Amino acid sequence: MGGIPFIGSTFAVMRDPVGMARKRYAEYGPVAWGWLLGQRTVTVHGPEAAEAVLVDRDKAFASGPAWSYFVGPFFNRGLMLLDFEEHLHHRRIMRQAFTRPRLRAYMDAMAPGVVKGVGAWQVGPGFTMYDHFKRLTLDLAVDVFMGVELDDAERARVNGAFIAAVRAGTAYVRFPVPGLRWHRGLRARRVLEEFFQRQLPAKRRDGGDDLFAALCAAESDDGRRFTDADIVNHMIFALMAAHDTTTITLTSMAYHLARFPEWQERLRDEALALGTDDLAYADLDALTGMDMVMKESMRLVAPVPALPRRVVRDTSILGFHIPAGTTVVVPMLSNHRMADWWPDPDTFDPGRFAPERREDKVHRFAWSPFGGGAHRCVGMYFAGMQVKSIMYRLLRRYRWSVPDGYVMPLDTTSLPSPKDGLPVHLVVA
């Protein structure tokens, strides 16, 4: 069941995570032992097992030690890498950066960058959606989260550092061998630390409407604030989460809208019906079709494909004994495609999220791309707002298509991304 010690099914899972999950579920059921990236691991399939782990009523599953094995050296003490009381303390402070008034301010700050970024795209064949979304979302994250001006060289340096840090988490050689992923990730972390530390004094002094300023000013009910180190750690993690996961969601949406042009036209009509180029915060709820497409795209390509936890005391999952020290993985990418819970799970069908169907309501963890429990993504509403803002502008300005029979080749060695950048034929609408 576990495969070769230390290696196990690592390569097979990275090549075909959904296929391997289905195979293991059919053979072993919802709780299956194995080896993954050198760790003895339990993979839990299905929403019932996901709920047991993510809700964690007995505080037996820690996020920090599990994520630290993969990305700890690169995203040290980000919110996802903290647990229990310390996590709740940091989360209470950070929530102040995602209140409704803050979200409105972020959306206003984001609008000029969306208009400028999308408006500069060059129409024609071979337009790589993923690459352009990634560049745009990093630019927006810098503008909205940091509120600082960067030249092209500095933006490229920061972007490259984030890419190297994310990819280092799934390195096979987990030592700083020059030229390999782990080493590049460690260098990237130093670049990011130096960058934020250099910006911090002015941000504490001058404030602003951006996330960086909000974290500098936020405090708990008893008056405690983040230290400089806290702010640097949270900014590195938040900036990664804000542009990587949003890029993946936008890319998945663009791919499916290219494959299913009837949905692209439906969303374009919905956007045009608002009668304005300037999407307002109050308009977001009117984009019901876009919301369904976004949710279905996140179901088919979960931006964070798996959520690991470390067992800190002996426990059980669905009646199976799990000893302390075990790493447990909740595979969101494959859980969202389980035929036991989703009819025609591999079919793009946004209507499954329509009010009269709501197939996601079959279980509260059937659809959970933002995780769940205490570690549910604190920026989930910001993410939806950013995705809709960009897609709204894109739909009103362009049409795009892919050749008949094209299937987006996913690289799932870290966060899921298209191996070919998702080339489309982009034309003015």
Side-chain angles (χ1 to χ4, degrees):
M1 175 165 51
I4 303 171
F6 299 105
I7 297 175
S9 55
T10 297
F11 299 135
V13 168
M14 287 185 173
R15 283 195 304 268
D16 182 16
V18 175
M20 277 298 297
R22 286 172 173 167
K23 180 176 183 292
R24 291 173 66 78
Y25 179 64
E27 291 179 359
Y28 307 119
V31 180
W33 284 87
W35 288 92
L36 186 65
L37 286 172
Q39 292 193 106
R40 195 82 168 101
T41 303
V42 168
T43 302
V44 296
H45 305 283
E48 292 176 345
E51 180 178 22
V53 173
L54 299 180
V55 173
D56 190 18
R57 292 182 176 86
D58 296 328
K59 291 184 169 55
F61 301 99
S63 178
W67 277 114
S68 291
Y69 179 80
F70 297 101
V71 299
F74 322 113
F75 297 101
N76 180 47
R77 293 187 61 77
L79 192 62
M80 190 171 66
L81 281 77
L82 303 177
D83 282 295
F84 309 128
E85 290 305 316
E86 184 181 34
H87 168 260
L88 289 176
H89 167 66
H90 281 249
R91 186 180 177 91
R92 287 190 189 105
I93 300 176
M94 186 168 282
R95 271 204 307 255
Q96 297 177 41
F98 292 98
T99 61
R100 192 178 295 268
R102 284 281 185 185
L103 290 176
R104 287 197 186 95
Y106 297 155
M107 188 165 176
D108 290 343
M110 192 188 333
V114 173
V115 171
K116 178 182 177 182
V118 173
W121 288 359
Q122 298 297 308
V123 297
F127 182 90
T128 51
M129 280 287 198
Y130 175 82
D131 300 330
H132 285 80
F133 281 140
K134 190 165 184 61
R135 192 173 303 121
L136 175 60
T137 55
L138 179 64
D139 287 346
L140 294 177
V142 168
D143 294 340
V144 176
F145 278 20
M146 295 172 52
V148 298
E149 292 291 333
L150 300 181
D151 59 30
D152 290 344
E154 186 78 336
R155 283 177 185 263
R157 193 169 74 98
V158 172
N159 193 15
F162 277 110
I163 293 170
V166 171
R167 292 186 67 82
T170 52
Y172 299 134
V173 179
R174 307 180 75 77
F175 300 98
V177 179
L180 298 186
R181 277 190 185 184
W182 196 263
H183 182 258
R184 290 197 296 268
L186 292 174
R187 286 195 307 173
R189 170 72 190 196
R190 289 194 292 271
V191 168
L192 297 172
E193 285 181 347
E194 182 275 331
F195 174 78
F196 283 108
Q197 287 167 354
R198 179 160 37 90
Q199 305 287 342
L200 187 57
K203 188 57 62 175
R204 278 207 184 274
R205 182 188 67 239
D206 301 334
D209 291 328
D210 50 88
L211 178 67
F212 204 175
L215 294 183
C216 289
E219 61 182 45
S220 62
D221 293 339
D222 59 1
R224 287 187 290 173
R225 292 188 169 193
F226 285 142
T227 65
D228 286 0
D230 289 335
I231 293 170
V232 170
N233 290 331
H234 287 315
M235 283 301 299
I236 291 174
F237 178 77
L239 201 59
M240 178 276 294
H243 89 278
D244 263 332
T245 56
T246 302
T247 295
I248 293 165
T249 300
L250 284 164
T251 302
S252 180
M253 291 176 72
Y255 165 64
H256 289 106
L257 291 175
R259 285 281 310 276
F260 299 91
E262 66 277 12
W263 274 99
Q264 187 179 148
E265 291 305 317
R266 174 173 169 174
L267 264 58
R268 182 170 292 105
D269 291 343
E270 179 181 79
L272 292 171
L274 283 181
T276 177
D277 279 339
D278 301 320
L279 184 68
Y281 186 82
D283 296 328
L284 293 173
D285 289 343
L287 301 175
T288 55
M290 190 183 297
D291 194 65
M292 291 191 294
V293 168
M294 180 176 69
K295 288 177 177 177
E296 178 69 342
S297 298
M298 294 178 79
R299 184 187 71 82
L300 290 167
V301 183
V304 180
L307 300 173
R309 296 289 188 268
R310 180 70 55 81
V311 179
V312 295
R313 60 173 61 88
D314 286 3
T315 188
S316 64
I317 302 172
L318 304 185
F320 293 89
H321 175 71
I322 310 295
T326 303
T327 295
V328 176
V329 174
V330 183
M332 310 313 303
L333 189 67
S334 53
N335 274 4
H336 285 170
R337 293 195 184 208
M338 294 187 71
D340 288 3
W341 304 93
W342 296 95
D344 300 317
D346 296 328
T347 299
F348 176 72
D349 179 11
R352 65 174 87 240
F353 290 93
E356 66 274 13
R357 289 174 62 184
R358 291 307 302 266
E359 292 176 8
D360 57 310
K361 293 296 185 182
V362 67
H363 191 286
R364 69 177 182 140
F365 278 83
W367 184 84
S368 48
F370 296 102
H375 280 278
R376 193 180 190 197
C377 177
V378 71
M380 60 183 293
Y381 296 111
F382 174 86
M385 178 185 75
Q386 186 177 40
V387 166
K388 289 181 179 179
S389 296
I390 294 171
M391 190 57 64
Y392 179 84
R393 189 73 185 180
L394 183 60
L395 286 161
R396 288 178 64 89
R397 186 173 180 85
Y398 303 108
R399 282 184 172 84
W400 62 97
S401 59
V402 292
D404 291 342
Y406 170 83
V407 176
M408 183 172 69
L410 269 185
D411 179 352
T412 51
T413 56
S414 55
L415 299 182
S417 60
K419 296 176 182 178
D420 59 359
L422 181 56
V424 304
H425 190 177
L426 188 73
V427 300
V428 176

